[in-house]
Amino acid sequence: MNNDQLHELLYQALETELGGVQVYERALGCVKNDDLREEWESYRDQTKHHVELVEGVLGAFGLDPAIDTPGRRVVRHIGTSLVKAMEMALAEDSPEAAELVTAECVTLAETKDHLNWELLGEAVKHLKGDGAKALRSAFSEVEEQEDEHLYHTTGWGRELWIQSLGLAAVLPPPEEQKDVKTAIGAARAKSARSKMM
Ligand SMILES: [Fe+2]
């Protein structure tokens, strides 16, 4: 295991969760659909808790959560850019268009978040000690939530876009109705959408 790279991943994971809270705070000011607002409120609260969990994991590895790295700065830049993109849409376009942009921004943020945890889940299989124990416990708490954040939001973005095209949309999206928590489940839900209209 390349420990330096594992530590870098942990720092990026923290920055992603911190940025995620900002993205959700901004997203909640752009969302129109009440079901989606409720969904994102709970994802925001879960993401706030993920920040605490990753800070705890960093501590267990003997790492200072305040240390910045070039990789962390890139993650922060992307998070800030996503917030700005939503603000641009809100200021310059219709509320419907801003909602679509917002669903895409949340999906982009959650794609990185999901990747981080997938990688941490791989890494922890090869680790021992206090850090490993803390990471394993955080991973078991977070894993399903991250699946839901990504797959359900992706479904919302797709169905809201379909609705905007004047086509029959499935809302809430099949991913949410079927409570999808895996990539295979998301693919199945998406292919079953025509039967759900
Ligand atoms: Fe998260």
Side-chain angles (χ1 to χ4, degrees):
M1 176 79 66
N2 178 337
N3 281 322
D4 287 346
Q5 186 65 348
L6 172 66
H7 298 166
E8 172 62 24
L9 176 60
L10 286 168
Y11 280 121
Q12 288 193 22
L14 176 60
E15 196 62 47
T16 306
E17 300 291 6
L18 287 165
V21 174
Q22 300 305 313
V23 166
Y24 279 115
E25 296 288 5
R26 186 63 269 184
L28 286 167
C30 300
V31 67
K32 286 166 60 26
N33 184 291
D34 290 335
D35 288 337
L36 181 53
R37 178 178 301 106
E38 214 175 286
E39 186 111 337
W40 281 349
E41 276 168 355
S42 85
Y43 295 175
R44 180 218 28 213
D45 295 346
Q46 288 171 349
T47 302
K48 280 183 179 172
H49 182 51
H50 296 178
V51 170
E52 296 166 353
L53 287 174
V54 182
E55 282 172 349
V57 172
L58 281 162
F61 277 91
L63 299 168
D64 177 359
I67 286 179
D68 211 0
T69 71
R72 241 187 117 155
R73 284 193 285 280
V74 170
V75 173
R76 187 155 66 243
H77 175 77
I78 292 171
T80 308
S81 304
L82 292 172
V83 170
K84 277 193 189 145
M86 288 184 270
E87 284 168 356
M88 262 173 75
L90 204 58
E92 297 172 20
D93 213 336
S94 67
E96 290 76 15
E99 189 179 46
L100 294 179
V101 168
T102 298
E104 290 183 13
C105 287
V106 173
T107 301
L108 288 168
E110 289 293 358
T111 299
K112 167 66 172 162
D113 202 9
H114 191 269
L115 174 63
N116 292 340
W117 283 102
E118 198 178 340
L119 293 169
L120 289 169
E122 274 307 304
V124 79
K125 293 176 192 166
H126 307 277
L127 294 171
K128 289 194 180 95
D130 287 349
K133 209 172 145 194
L135 180 54
R136 201 166 288 120
S137 145
F139 179 74
S140 66
E141 199 176 329
V142 161
E143 186 191 13
E144 272 201 354
Q145 293 176 358
E146 295 297 358
D147 287 336
E148 199 179 317
H149 295 182
L150 177 60
Y151 300 129
H152 293 205
T153 301
T154 301
W156 275 102
R158 183 191 63 244
E159 296 300 328
L160 288 171
W161 252 112
I162 287 173
Q163 179 176 256
S164 78
L165 290 166
L167 303 173
V170 181
L171 290 168
E175 289 86 344
E176 192 175 328
Q177 292 188 36
K178 292 177 181 295
D179 200 17
V180 161
K181 290 187 171 71
T182 61
I184 292 171
R188 281 201 195 108
K190 192 173 148 186
S191 71
R193 64 177 299 284
S194 57
K195 294 178 206 130
M196 298 173 77
M197 286 185 289

